[in-house]
Amino acid sequence: MPFRTRFTETFGIEHPIVCGGMTAVGRAPLIAAVANAGALGFLSALTQPTPEELTQEIARTRELTDKPFGVNLTMLPTINPVPYDEYADAIVQAGVPFVETAGNNPEPFLPAFKAGGVKVIHKAVTVRHALKAQSIGVDAVSIDGFECAGHPGQDDIGGLVLIPAAADKLDIPIIASGGIADARGLVAALALGADAVNMGTRFVATTESPVHENIKRQIVENTERSTNVVFRKFRNSARVAKNAVSDEIIEIEQREGTTFADIAHLASGARGRERALGNGEVDGGVWWAGQTQGLIGDVPSTSELIERVVSESESIVRSRLAGLLT
């Protein structure tokens, strides 16, 4: 029996499980597979070089599923300007029902999304930012604990505290993100007050994920200690897989007087995507991974993974937790 939450009701999804937008990973085959399994996946808009190519990727996804999915639009400062307005227009024109925003305040884009009937989820790493997102009218927030891959912010608050702290203050549905890779995480997140969970690293290690098999195998081999938090010196903390490149970045950051220019060649996202995710060079560049690597022991299909999480979650609730009551 599927879990019914405010999230599944509001977004019309069978299971309270989300595969958030991941650069170079959130492509049509994976996101369609997530949708077909009854969860909610997000294409990564900026993985596509142009808004026109995003429109084509949305069409490719629809060829693979007739179930709803969304698009992630991450808005961050960039060296080369990104036409965010044009990407947003492409999302609305394609009739995509859900958008996941991240980075900068999405308020300038909300009128267009709302007019197009698009529900908006905003990613936040603090309760105060989640409250701000609620105040401007987003439909849900995805809040990242310190365990997450990507940018966990500077406050270092783990999900065990951050999720209930957010639940105490927010009125809209909450997606718990960071540190979740299996049924235990889903049940725990629901107990903490969340309405759904987001899994990132776990979905990277699936058969439909477009990253190289070497990276998937490395995730399975890694433990919860196999990450580095880089860029902390520059107040842009990022959790990535521990490898030769991220170790070198840490070492350079610790030197007196170093600047981002000293690590830019190592930190290049393009380098990580091409050499690591694309070519399978585990030490070829930086690549995102969370502490959940320590909970990942195989590379299943997306449908197998979601079915496992749902069935084991139900078993935990019906058997283990109910059995503890006297």
Side-chain angles (χ1 to χ4, degrees):
M1 180 181 295
F3 289 91
R4 293 181 60 186
T5 71
R6 289 188 302 172
F7 180 80
T8 61
E9 294 293 306
T10 301
F11 287 79
I13 303 300
E14 186 178 0
H15 304 305
I17 299 171
V18 175
C19 173
M22 294 180 281
T23 303
V25 180
R27 299 178 184 271
L30 173 61
I31 301 312
V34 171
N36 285 331
L40 177 58
F42 287 87
L43 295 172
S44 167
L46 301 188
T47 294
Q48 304 305 318
T50 66
E52 292 75 21
E53 286 167 284
L54 172 60
T55 299
Q56 295 169 11
E57 190 72 1
I58 292 169
R60 278 192 288 272
T61 309
R62 286 188 169 135
E63 291 173 358
L64 299 172
T65 184
D66 58 2
K67 294 189 176 182
F69 60 90
V71 175
N72 168 282
L73 185 60
T74 297
M75 296 165 284
L76 294 170
T78 57
I79 296 174
N80 298 313
V82 174
Y84 293 117
D85 288 332
E86 295 178 26
Y87 277 100
D89 287 343
I91 292 167
V92 173
Q93 292 300 317
V96 174
F98 311 123
V99 165
E100 178 188 59
T101 58
N104 293 343
N105 188 333
E107 188 168 13
F109 299 91
L110 291 186
F113 287 144
K114 296 295 184 181
V118 182
K119 286 186 169 63
V120 178
I121 300 169
H122 186 65
K123 292 178 69 70
V125 295
T126 67
V127 175
R128 64 185 183 280
H129 290 144
L131 285 168
K132 175 62 176 178
Q134 176 177 271
S135 74
I136 64 174
V138 304
D139 299 282
V141 293
S142 178
I143 190 157
D144 288 355
F146 186 56
E147 307 94 333
C148 73
H151 295 281
Q154 301 295 121
D155 291 348
D156 302 358
I157 308 298
L160 196 62
V161 170
L162 186 62
I163 301 310
D168 285 345
K169 299 285 182 66
L170 292 162
D171 300 316
I172 57 178
I174 299 167
I175 303 166
S177 182
I180 299 165
D182 57 25
R184 295 168 296 182
L186 172 56
V187 173
L190 295 177
L192 293 172
D195 303 281
V197 296
N198 173 64
M199 300 192 300
T201 306
R202 174 67 272 195
F203 278 116
V204 175
T206 58
T207 55
E208 293 89 352
S209 166
V211 309
H212 198 281
E213 293 302 314
N214 290 354
I215 298 298
K216 298 178 188 180
R217 284 196 295 269
Q218 190 65 47
I219 290 172
V220 172
E221 292 175 13
N222 282 348
T223 74
E224 68 279 3
R225 300 179 65 244
S226 302
T227 69
N228 278 326
V229 177
V230 297
F231 314 151
R232 170 139 292 196
K233 182 175 185 175
F234 313 111
R235 298 194 60 78
N236 188 30
S237 296
R239 187 179 299 282
V240 299
K242 180 178 175 62
N243 64 5
V245 176
S246 60
D247 281 347
E248 186 175 354
I249 290 173
I250 295 286
E251 190 273 325
I252 293 171
E253 284 190 54
Q254 290 173 345
R255 296 180 200 163
E256 186 80 23
T258 50
T259 68
F260 190 80
D262 295 307
I263 62 170
H265 64 293
L266 298 169
S268 166
R271 171 179 170 171
R273 289 190 293 273
E274 178 182 350
R275 294 180 56 179
L277 301 186
N279 295 341
E281 300 174 46
V282 172
D283 289 315
V286 292
W287 46 280
W288 307 112
Q291 293 179 338
T292 52
Q293 289 178 113
L295 305 175
I296 295 171
D298 62 354
V299 182
S301 71
T302 299
S303 63
E304 289 170 339
L305 172 62
I306 292 173
E307 181 180 349
R308 180 198 306 169
V309 171
V310 172
S311 64
E312 290 182 0
S313 295
E314 184 175 340
S315 177
I316 290 170
V317 173
R318 291 184 182 277
S319 301
R320 174 167 170 73
L321 295 184
L324 295 175
L325 296 174
T326 59

